[in-house]
Structures are given as structure tokens and as C-alpha cells.
Amino acid sequence: MAREAETSRILIFGGTGYIGKHMVRASVSLGHPTYVYARPAGPQTRPSNLDLRREFHSAGVHIIEGELEEHEKIVAALKQVDIVISTLTYPQVPDQLKIIDAIVSAGNIKRFLPSDFGCDEDKITPLPPFQEFLEKKRKIRRATEAAGIPFTFVAANCFAAYFVNFLLHPHDPRDDIVVYGDGKAKAVLNYEEDIGKYTIKVANDPRACNRVVTYHLKPNVISQHELISLWEEKTGRTFKRVYVPEEDLVKLSQSKF
Ligand SMILES: NC(=O)c1ccc[n+]([C@@H]2O[C@H](COP(=O)([O-])OP(=O)(O)OC[C@H]3O[C@@H](n4cnc5c(N)ncnc54)[C@H](OP(=O)(O)O)[C@@H]3O)[C@@H](O)[C@H]2O)c1
């Protein structure tokens, strides 16, 4: 049977990470032979990372231990799979050039999803601290295109649990919540587990090849005010909303730390 007709094999870089673990779990649950390229475990490896490796191992995930500098090892890993997803942590975004080089050498990869998973960096002009952040991600997009690698760039919008934690501090016993700007700006908060599932589906969907896919689900669009009101309803508490005006946020973003 031709490889295309079979279930695609997926390799995930950063699979032990915050969002990567959801990609790995979704890949397994959707029946894909799943591989994770991870740094060799050692005394410095966090216990939660080791727990995940054990979980993956018992779920049949192939864990390939190696560094991003090990070109031949990465090429050999790539030759076993069809699709590559990178969920490497932000400081390692430029290191994805090494993955791109290895994909070119391997020559068999049908789709590459680099570590984007935020806003669409080709569409927005953020405040200064985030310009450099997004510029690094843009460079990886351009390098992927220039190498002629079939890609899908994913704009996952906000990770829901991550942002709920930031915007509500639900574990904080205090009764005041900092509101950013007027609190009415809308954001898309997508649950991390869903992002994992959408990403595996999108990676396998021919319609998403060489496209940017944005996870913009109407029921997930919410303002900070609405979020606080939902939390008040759920907990029966009333929170004091402490405003940081938009002008102050802009000034803060322009100051040098
Ligand atoms: N939209 C949002 O709300 C949102 C929120 C957070 C993050 N993000 C984005 O999501 C992507 C993934 O972020 P994340 O927070 O999930 O990542 P993370 O958990 O910080 O790290 C992911 C993995 O990167 C690997 N890694 C860490 N340091 C490394 C190093 N020095 N060298 C090589 N590998 C290293 C680790 O894997 P091993 O230890 O197994 O090697 C780690 O598990 C990023 O692009 C980030 O910007 C988006």
C-alpha cells in the first residue's frame, strides 16, 4: 500500500513541553505512530518531564533522545516519519533552522509545522517587547518556505488555561483582579487539549498544506470583563477590578528593563 494511504507517522520536537504533550497525546489517540525527539534525560531533567516520558513510553510513543546539534541523528529520525511538528520552547525558536536543514537532507517530509502556536506573526504589529519575539518566528516561516518544505503555520491564539491563570489568578485568595486596558478587548482562548487535537488534524489535512491556519472559534472569544464575570458567577465571589489604562501599558512596553 502506498505510504500516503496509510496513517501518517508524526515526529514532535518539544513533545515533553507545555503544549507539546497535548500534541503527542492527540497524535496517539488519533492512531498515528508517534515519535518524540527529546534531549537526553539526565540529572537536570525535571521530574514532570520524566513522568511524561514514562507516560509516552507506555502509550507506545518512540522517544528518540538527542540534541538539536546532532544533524545525522535528526535526519535518521526524520526518515522514519512523514510529518514533523515543532513545539520547541520560545528561546529555541532559531534552533529550528537545524530542523529545517535536516528536513532538506532527509527529503521525505510531507509537512512541517514550526513552533508558532500564538498569533499570526505575518499579520500583526505588536508592542515593542513582542516585535523581536515575533520576528524570530517570522524568520523560521521564511526559511521553511525558502527551503521548499510543505508547511502549515498554525496561529493557535491564546492557550486558555495559560491565559485564564494569567488574567484571573484563580488560585489567589485576594479579592482584586488587575484589568488590562478597559477590559473589553476580545481574545480567543482555546483549550490546550483542543489545540493538540486540531493541530494533528490540520497537519494531516491536504487543504492546510502551505497555508496559515488560525484557530478562531466563536464560542471561545471572550473579554477579560466577561471572564471575570463568569468567575464571579462560578465562585459566588465579587472581585474589585483594578484598571491599568491602555496608555500605561503602552508606556510600560516602551520602557527599557
Ligand atoms: N498562544 C499562547 O498562549 C502560547 C503560550 C505559551 C507558549 N506558546 C508558544 O508555544 C510554543 C511552545 O511553547 P511551550 O511553552 O509549550 O514550550 P516549553 O514547555 O517551554 O518547552 C517545550 C520543550 O522544548 C524543549 N527545550 C527546552 N529547552 C531546550 C533547550 N535548551 N534545547 C533544546 N530543547 C529545549 C524541551 O523538551 P525536552 O526537554 O524534551 O528536550 C521542552 O519540553 C512556543 O512557540 C511558544 O511561543 C504560545
Side-chain angles (χ1 to χ4, degrees), residues 16-19 38-39 49 89 92 115 117 137 157 159 163:
T16 59
Y18 180 76
I19 199 66
R39 287 170 298 169
N49 187 310
T89 192
Q92 261 53 56
S115 191
F117 306 113
K137 292 193 171 190
N157 275 309
F159 296 175
F163 269 89

Side-chain angles (χ1 to χ4, degrees), residues 12-15 17 19-20 23 85-89 96 113 115 117:
I12 301 169
F13 287 84
I19 199 66
M23 313 273 177
I85 300 174
S86 166
T87 58
L88 284 177
T89 192
Q96 292 177 110
L113 284 69
S115 191
F117 306 113

Side-chain angles (χ1 to χ4, degrees), residues 12-23 36-41 44-46 49 52-53 56 63-64 66-69 86-93 95-96 114-119 133-134 137 155-163 188 190 192 195:
I12 301 169
F13 287 84
T16 59
Y18 180 76
I19 199 66
K21 63 179 178 290
H22 294 291
M23 313 273 177
V36 168
Y37 191 91
R39 287 170 298 169
Q44 79 294 346
T45 311
R46 279 173 292 119
N49 187 310
L52 274 174
R53 289 176 198 228
F56 294 164
I63 299 177
I64 301 166
E67 302 288 349
L68 294 171
E69 289 69 30
S86 166
T87 58
L88 284 177
T89 192
Y90 171 68
Q92 261 53 56
V93 160
D95 281 341
Q96 292 177 110
S115 191
D116 278 336
F117 306 113
C119 52
F133 178 87
L134 293 188
K137 292 193 171 190
N157 275 309
C158 302
F159 296 175
Y162 185 94
F163 269 89
V188 189
N190 293 315
E192 283 81 343
I195 291 174

Side-chain angles (χ1 to χ4, degrees), residues 9-12 24 28 32-38 53 56-65 80-81:
R9 300 160 300 177
I10 301 182
L11 172 66
I12 301 169
V24 176
V28 171
H32 296 278
T34 305
Y35 297 69
V36 168
Y37 191 91
R53 289 176 198 228
F56 294 164
H57 185 70
S58 39
V61 174
H62 307 272
I63 299 177
I64 301 166
E65 289 194 340
Q80 302 179 60
V81 302

